[in-house]
Amino acid sequence: MRQAQDRLGLRLVLLVALVGFAAGAAAQLDQHHALNDVPCQACHGAAEPPTAVATEQCLGCHGPLEDLGALTEKVSPTNPHSTPHGATFAECDLCHRVHGPSENFCAQCHDFKFTVP
Amino acid sequence: MSNKQTHRFQALTRRQLLKAGGASMLGGLALGAAGLSRQARAEAMPDKMPAKWDEEVDVVVVGSGFAGLAAAHEAAKAGASVALLEKMRTPGGNSIISGGVIAAAGSPLQAKQGIKDSPDSLYEDMLKAGLYLNQPELARIVADQSVETVQWTIDELGVEYSGLSHMGGHAVPRSYSVASGSGAGIIEPQLARLKELAVEPRTGMLLKRLLRDDDGRVKGVIVHRGFRHPDLESGTPVAIKARRAVVMASGGFGADPVFRALQDPRLGGDLDTTNQPGATAEALRAALHAGCILVQPSWIQLGPWTSPDERGFGMAPHFVQGVTASYGLWVDTRTGKRFVNELADRKTRADAILAAGNKTIAFADAKGYGKGTMDTSQQRLGRMKRSGALMEYGSLEEMARAHDIPVSELKATVKAFNDSVDAGKDSEFGRYMAANVDKIDTPPYYVMRLSPKIHHTMGGCAINSRAQALDVLSNQPIPGLYVAGEASGGVHGASRLGSCAYADCLTFGRIAGRNAAAQERWA
Ligand SMILES: Cc1cc2nc3c(=O)[nH]c(=O)nc-3n(C[C@H](O)[C@H](O)[C@H](O)COP(=O)(O)OP(=O)(O)OC[C@H]3O[C@@H](n4cnc5c(N)ncnc54)[C@H](O)[C@@H]3O)c2cc1C
C-alpha cells in the first residue's frame, strides 16, 4: 500500500514536471529529484565517482515502462513511451538527462515535436 | 607482380630489417611471408602499430546491424572473444528501423501456399534487377542459402513471421514478413542471444582507423570511445587489438550527402533518405585507407514508395508497396494513366516516377486496403491520415479534383484494370495478379503522393565468397579483414531487390563471423 502511494506520488511529480515544462519552466531533473527528497545515492549508489544510471534503476521508481506509456498515451502525434523499435530505443537517458538539458531523441528521424521533461 | 610493386615490397622489407636490426629476423620474415602467400601484403602505406594496446580480443566487429550481430554471434559461438562496436547511442543501425521482409526461395511457407519457387529463380531476379552487374558468385550464395538463413532466424533466434509478401521485381511472393512488422523483430532476438553468449554492443564507439601492419595483416582498430554523432572528433582514442580478425559491418552511406555526391552528383544535398542518421561513410573511408577496393559506389537506390508528405521512410511504404502495388494503381496525375508496372523492381519504378516529375500518386479502394494490410483495427490508417501522408476520398471524381487528374482518363484507367482483373491478366503492364486481386470500385479511395528517397547503397568494399576484403593493389584477400552487409559491394549490382538485403546481411554476416573466428591468431 505504502509503495503504491509512493508510486502515485511519483507519477504526480512526473505530471507536474510535464505541465511545468510545457509552460516553459526551465528546471533540471536533478532539482526535481532533490526537491522530492531523492538524494544522489538513491540513484548512483555509493560509487565514487558516480557512474551512469541504468534504465532499470529509473524504472525501479518510475516504471514499469507500460505505466509510463499509459501516462503519455494521449501525447500527439504518437506515444513517446511506446516505440516500435524495441527495448534499446526505450532507454530513459536517450531523452531524459538529469544533470543537463533533456533532448528529443526521436526528432533525429521523426517530426515528433515532443517537449521532453 | 609488376617490377614497381616488387621493388616497393623489397624496400619495405629492408626498412623492417633495419628496424629489427638482426639477421635472425630475416628467417622469421621469410616464413611469415610464405604463410601469407596469395594473401595481400600491405603494399599500400602500412600503419604504425600502437606501442600499447588498450584492449585485446580475438575478433573486433564494427557495426551492430544484421551483419555485425550475425558475425558476432557466429564468432562467439566458435569460442572467440568479441568486441562489438557501435558508434551511435542505440544499436541496430538501419536494420532495426527496417521494413521486416526477408527473401527465401523455395521455402516451407511457399510450399504450404502452393507457390513454386527455387533459388535459381531468386538468383535470376536478383541479376535482372541488378542489370547483371552483380558478382555472380556472391549473389549465388545469397540465393542458395536464403531458406537456410530464414530457418536459422527461426531455429536459432526464435524470430516469428506472419506470412509472405510479394516484393517488386520478384517472380513470386517469397518474402517472409516479420510478425512485429519491422527489423526490430530480428535485431532484438539477435541481441538477446548475444547477451547469452556474453557479448553486448558497446555504443558511442566510433571506428576511426583499421590498423594494417607492414606484413599486410589488419591487426586492430583505433576507436573513439564516447563518440557523439555527428562530431567525428568527439570521444577519446582507444586501440583495440584483434588477435584473429576485424569484421567491418558498418552499413551503407545513404545518409552521407557528401560521399553520395562524390558517387552521383545528382544525389547530394538535401535529398531525403530512409536511412538512420549514422549511415555515413567514415568507416568505409577507413577501409579504403587500409587498402580495400571500392566497387560500384554510384549505384545508389532510391525507394519508389516514399511520400513527400512525411520525413524519411515513414509509413508510406506499408501502404504504397503493401497495398497499392498489388491491389491498387499508380497513375501519372497529368495524364490519369498508369506509367509503370507497380510491381517492377525499385529502379524501374523510381526512374519512372522521376521521369514524371514526381507528379504521381498511388491509390487503392477500401477492399484493396483490407486485402493489402494486416491493419484490421485501422490503427495504422488513422496514423497515416494524421501524419498527412494518406488522403481519403469518397469517390474517384473527388480524388481526381483534389490531385488535378483528368477524370475521364482516370476512370478509363480504372476500367481497363478492372477488365484485366476479370481476365486474370494485366493486359497493360503484365503485373503479377494474385488470386485475390479484386476490382477497384469501393469507396473510400486512399491516396498517397509519391517521391523517391535515398534508400540503399549497393556499392562498398569488394569481397570474395568467404567475406574477405580484397586488396586494392594485389586483388588478394587482406589478411585479418572481413566485410559484410551493406558495407560490402557486388551482391546486388545496380539495384537491390526488396527483402534481399536481410538475406545478404545475415548470410554474409554469419560467413564473416565464422571465418574471422577461425583465422589463425597473430598474437
Ligand atoms: C527504412 C528501411 C527499411 C528497410 N527495409 C528492408 C526490408 O524490409 N528488407 C530488406 O531486405 N532490406 C530492407 N532495408 C535494407 C536493410 O535493412 C539494410 O540494408 C540492412 O539493415 C543493413 O544491415 P547492415 O548490418 O549492413 O548495416 P546497418 O544495419 O546499417 O548497421 C551498421 C551499423 O554500423 C554503425 N557504424 C557505421 N559507421 C560506424 C563507425 N565508423 N564506427 C562504428 N559503427 C559504425 C552504424 O551506426 C550502424 O548501426 C531497409 C532499409 C531501410 C533504411
Side-chain angles (χ1 to χ4, degrees):
Chain A
M1 184 62 203
R2 172 158 159 86
Q3 220 187 352
Q5 265 176 359
D6 280 355
R7 296 174 77 88
L8 184 68
L10 273 170
R11 293 227 189 103
L12 283 176
V13 169
L14 262 180
L15 267 181
V16 170
L18 277 168
V19 172
F21 276 84
Q28 274 177 193
L29 293 182
D30 44 9
Q31 274 180 312
H32 280 282
H33 284 91
L35 285 174
N36 287 282
D37 294 329
V38 182
C40 308
Q41 295 82 358
C43 303
H44 290 289
E48 274 301 336
T51 50
V53 172
T55 286
E56 298 78 60
Q57 178 82 19
C58 308
L59 292 179
C61 297
H62 300 282
L65 186 62
E66 294 69 42
D67 289 14
L68 291 169
L71 262 181
T72 51
E73 204 170 27
K74 298 252 147 60
V75 172
S76 172
T78 189
N79 188 344
H81 291 126
S82 165
T83 167
H85 306 311
T88 53
F89 278 65
E91 299 281 332
C92 301
D93 70 355
L94 289 176
C95 296
H96 302 285
R97 294 293 136 59
V98 173
H99 306 297
S102 291
E103 106 179 48
N104 181 1
F105 180 75
C106 307
Q108 64 174 352
C109 297
H110 297 283
D111 290 326
F112 304 156
K113 295 187 180 60
F114 298 142
T115 316
V116 185
Chain B
M1 211 185 257
S2 76
N3 269 344
K4 204 166 147 204
Q5 282 175 320
T6 320
H7 186 74
R8 279 190 60 192
F9 183 63
Q10 282 171 348
L12 267 179
T13 339
R14 198 162 10 172
R15 203 194 68 195
Q16 255 232 335
L17 277 177
L18 285 176
K19 200 170 69 186
S24 65
M25 249 332 257
L26 187 61
L29 260 178
L31 262 182
L36 291 172
S37 66
R38 286 197 56 77
Q39 293 200 314
R41 300 180 185 96
E43 297 183 352
M45 241 185 320
D47 294 295
K48 213 168 134 260
M49 293 297 112
K52 176 181 151 288
W53 298 91
D54 298 293
E55 285 179 42
E56 292 191 29
V57 290
D58 291 328
V59 176
V60 170
V61 176
V62 181
S64 63
F66 293 137
L69 298 185
H73 186 145
E74 291 293 348
K77 256 190 116 166
S81 60
V82 176
L84 175 55
L85 310 177
E86 168 58 51
K87 68 174 177 176
M88 300 302 275
R89 294 175 59 201
T90 43
N94 275 342
S95 303
I96 203 168
I97 61 166
S98 63
V101 278
I102 174 166
S107 71
L109 261 186
Q110 286 179 315
K112 221 191 254 169
Q113 298 181 17
I115 300 165
K116 275 220 176 67
D117 198 11
S118 68
D120 284 352
S121 170
L122 171 56
Y123 173 75
E124 275 157 31
D125 289 344
M126 287 175 72
L127 263 64
K128 193 164 153 233
L131 302 180
Y132 298 89
L133 298 181
N134 324 53
Q135 292 298 336
E137 172 189 47
L138 302 179
R140 256 282 160 221
I141 290 174
V142 172
D144 287 354
Q145 300 188 17
S146 60
V147 172
E148 187 198 319
T149 297
V150 168
Q151 201 58 50
W152 175 79
T153 67
I154 297 170
D155 299 341
E156 177 80 17
L157 305 173
V159 172
E160 287 174 30
Y161 295 97
S162 59
L164 287 180
S165 310
H166 193 175
M167 307 296 290
H170 289 275
V172 291
R174 61 162 71 102
S175 307
Y176 275 58
S177 305
V178 177
S180 68
S182 87
I186 297 179
I187 290 287
E188 290 232 288
Q190 279 188 294
L191 288 170
R193 274 295 278 127
L194 273 170
K195 200 168 180 175
E196 288 168 19
L197 294 165
V199 180
E200 290 198 59
R202 294 156 62 184
T203 52
M205 298 285 269
L206 172 81
L207 173 81
K208 276 296 243 195
R209 290 287 285 270
L210 294 161
L211 296 177
R212 192 166 176 202
D213 208 348
D214 49 14
D215 63 1
R217 181 160 177 164
V218 169
K219 295 188 172 168
V221 292
I222 299 287
V223 175
H224 276 200
R225 178 165 54 205
F227 164 72
R228 284 296 217 172
H229 174 81
D231 178 5
L232 292 177
E233 295 316 313
S234 59
T236 34
V238 175
I240 307 179
K241 182 196 275 186
R243 287 183 296 240
R244 294 186 190 276
V246 175
V247 178
M248 272 264 307
S250 49
F253 54 88
D256 192 328
V258 174
F259 201 78
R260 257 169 25 206
L262 283 174
Q263 315 306 338
D264 183 342
R266 296 165 302 174
L267 302 184
D270 45 15
L271 257 179
D272 198 2
T273 174
T274 64
N275 287 200
Q276 61 116 356
T280 52
E282 76 285 339
L284 185 54
R285 288 180 189 265
L288 301 183
H289 186 76
C292 285
I293 314 176
L294 181 59
V295 293
Q296 305 181 338
S298 50
W299 291 107
I300 296 174
Q301 178 175 88
L302 296 157
W305 19 240
T306 36
S307 152
D309 300 312
E310 63 181 353
R311 232 171 104 194
F313 193 67
M315 287 174 287
H318 288 280
F319 172 73
V320 176
Q321 182 64 37
V323 176
T324 70
S326 290
Y327 303 102
L329 294 174
W330 297 9
V331 298
D332 184 327
T333 56
R334 298 165 307 179
T335 62
K337 292 189 193 328
R338 291 169 72 193
F339 58 95
V340 73
N341 174 351
E342 294 87 348
L343 276 176
D345 65 89
R346 290 175 177 171
K347 183 168 166 45
T348 302
R349 292 181 293 168
D351 287 351
I353 297 168
L354 294 176
N358 283 9
K359 295 202 169 11
T360 55
I361 58 160
F363 74 97
D365 71 345
K367 277 188 301 188
Y369 187 83
K371 291 185 186 209
T373 159
M374 286 164 264
D375 183 25
T376 41
S377 63
Q378 306 239 317
Q379 220 181 354
R380 198 188 279 277
L381 190 73
R383 283 189 58 195
M384 289 192 294
K385 282 205 279 194
R386 276 199 301 282
S387 82
L390 188 82
M391 291 148 254
E392 179 181 323
Y393 304 103
S395 67
L396 285 176
E397 287 81 1
E398 199 189 316
M399 178 176 114
R401 260 198 311 280
H403 294 274
D404 229 359
I405 312 169
V407 66
S408 53
E409 294 292 346
L410 177 67
K411 285 183 152 172
T413 299
V414 172
K415 178 167 186 314
F417 178 76
N418 287 346
D419 291 345
S420 291
V421 173
D422 276 339
K425 197 166 160 256
D426 175 16
S427 57
E428 221 177 334
F429 285 98
R431 180 170 108 193
Y432 178 90
M433 290 278 202
N436 68 345
V437 173
D438 211 336
K439 290 186 194 176
I440 297 174
D441 56 15
T442 309
Y445 296 93
Y446 298 109
V447 179
M448 276 198 194
R449 303 199 299 149
L450 298 175
S451 168
K453 297 179 187 176
I454 306 280
H455 186 57
H456 194 89
T457 52
M458 271 68 66
C461 297
I463 56 168
N464 63 15
S465 59
R466 307 187 65 233
Q468 291 174 293
L470 301 183
D471 179 81
V472 67
L473 289 179
S474 69
N475 215 50
Q476 299 301 320
I478 298 175
L481 184 61
Y482 296 82
V483 183
E486 207 173 327
S488 69
V491 172
H492 306 287
S495 179
R496 168 178 75 74
L497 280 181
S499 75
C500 285
Y502 279 41
D504 168 19
C505 296
L506 290 169
T507 305
F508 272 105
R510 293 181 65 202
I511 292 173
R514 272 198 297 263
N515 290 334
Q519 178 117 21
E520 217 175 303
R521 287 174 57 150
W522 64 271

